[in-house]
Amino acid sequence: MFVDCHSHLNDPAFDGKVPAVLERSRVADVGKIVVSAYDYPSLARTAALASAFPEVILPTYGIHPWFVEGFHDYEDLWSFLQRKECIAVGEIGLDFSPEFVHRDLQVESFTRQVDWAKDHRLPVIIHCRKAYDELYRILLPYEGRIGGLIHSFSGGENWLSRFVDLGFYVSFSGSVTRPNARKYHRVARIAPLDCILLETDCPSIATESTVASEVEPRHVIEIAAKIAEIRNMQVGDMERHTTENALTLFKVPQEDK
Ligand SMILES: [Zn+2]
């Protein structure tokens, strides 16, 4: 069984398509799919999916750095996070790409959500672009009290070891499947096996075989195969390690393994 550790089946692009997507995932042996909210409307859509497909969908709730401006309904967010099926706080993070301003607001919202995660002993699912310095500076004081995954990790070798030392997992998306994605390949080659996760981030990141809008959770297998090739391992071993890591991080009960 594979686990897709970060997806957006709650995206309007999947409206009306989820049952068929889940059937293809089941056939491909993707047994658990983490669905992460990212803005206010997606909170309720995520909860609805988790209620409709409780065996497969593991929901997480959070406000993504692209959507923190104008978001004030933290009490609503906390109430979603207290639902018993919720497994993590996310998608949260920092994006200091030039097109995203409001850096102070991003930091404030991120810190607030990390604090909540720490107090309620939930892992975090982090989006980070061009902000690894700031991310590390914020997370360092939480060492030992917070964990989680950095999704579609783009920090390169230096940041890899620092975040692994802080207790974080790194998650690989379709980005690693591209033949010329050398930075991702280097990280995939050296990341400790007990820190690696798989994700599609569908419908946002293309794989070598599929355009972004057509990526589904079943494409985690293409990602696993690429990492296995880079590391000269069997896909089945990559499956075993990444699934074990995911179930451990998200505290999915043993009987579901
Ligand atoms: Zn995402």
Side-chain angles (χ1 to χ4, degrees):
M1 171 183 113
F2 289 89
V3 180
D4 183 351
C5 288
H6 183 65
S7 81
H8 299 290
L9 295 182
N10 49 13
D11 188 290
F14 285 108
D15 278 356
K17 299 180 183 168
V18 172
V21 168
L22 293 184
E23 176 56 17
R24 288 191 286 272
S25 304
R26 190 189 63 76
V27 169
D29 199 21
V30 180
K32 299 283 179 193
I33 301 168
V34 177
V35 175
S36 294
Y38 47 93
D39 65 359
Y40 185 76
S42 69
L43 296 171
R45 289 203 303 272
T46 305
L49 282 175
S51 302
F53 307 102
E55 301 299 317
V56 187
I57 288 183
L58 304 173
T60 80
Y61 303 99
I63 302 301
H64 188 289
W66 297 353
F67 304 104
V68 292
E69 193 193 3
F71 182 80
H72 305 292
D73 306 309
Y74 283 90
E75 292 306 320
D76 269 3
L77 173 60
W78 307 150
S79 72
F80 278 101
L81 281 164
Q82 287 173 74
R83 296 170 71 99
K84 68 174 185 338
E85 71 276 13
C86 172
I87 55 149
V89 179
E91 180 173 356
I92 63 175
L94 301 173
D95 196 326
F96 289 0
S97 306
E99 61 269 38
F100 301 110
V101 289
H102 308 301
R103 292 184 179 182
D104 292 348
L105 199 56
Q106 287 190 33
V107 168
E108 184 198 322
S109 178
F110 177 66
T111 308
R112 213 164 156 174
Q113 295 179 82
V114 169
D115 273 331
W116 200 95
K118 170 190 64 93
D119 291 345
H120 294 79
R121 299 172 190 274
L122 281 178
V124 289
I125 295 182
I126 293 178
H127 167 107
C128 182
R129 276 175 66 199
K130 305 202 181 297
Y132 281 95
D133 274 305
E134 186 71 0
L135 182 69
Y136 189 75
R137 188 188 68 74
I138 293 172
L139 291 177
L140 188 57
Y142 293 89
E143 187 172 7
R145 296 180 298 153
I146 194 110
L149 70 87
I150 302 177
H151 107 79
S152 197
F153 181 75
S154 59
E157 295 119 300
N158 291 340
W159 286 117
L160 170 71
S161 56
R162 292 201 207 172
F163 283 102
V164 164
D165 287 348
L166 266 190
F168 278 80
Y169 292 79
V170 288
S171 179
F172 290 90
S173 70
S175 300
V176 78
T177 63
R178 295 174 204 147
N180 55 359
R182 294 196 185 82
K183 185 164 86 170
Y184 291 98
H185 296 175
R186 281 198 299 273
V187 171
R189 190 172 295 118
I190 62 169
L193 265 183
D194 58 356
C195 296
I196 296 179
L197 297 171
L198 307 173
E199 64 163 290
T200 59
D201 197 27
C202 61
S204 301
I205 301 180
T207 69
E208 179 58 13
S209 74
T210 312
V211 296
S213 60
E214 289 181 10
V215 170
E216 301 177 358
R218 67 190 167 93
H219 290 101
V220 286
I221 292 152
E222 182 182 348
I223 297 162
K226 182 66 183 187
I227 301 172
E229 177 199 316
I230 289 169
R231 298 179 72 112
N232 201 16
M233 287 175 60
Q234 299 294 317
V235 183
D237 289 332
M238 188 54 57
E239 173 186 5
R240 189 166 50 79
H241 282 286
T242 55
T243 296
E244 185 75 33
N245 293 344
L247 299 183
T248 301
L249 171 64
F250 296 125
K251 299 191 180 74
V252 176
Q254 203 73 15
E255 62 268 21
D256 284 359
K257 285 189 185 180

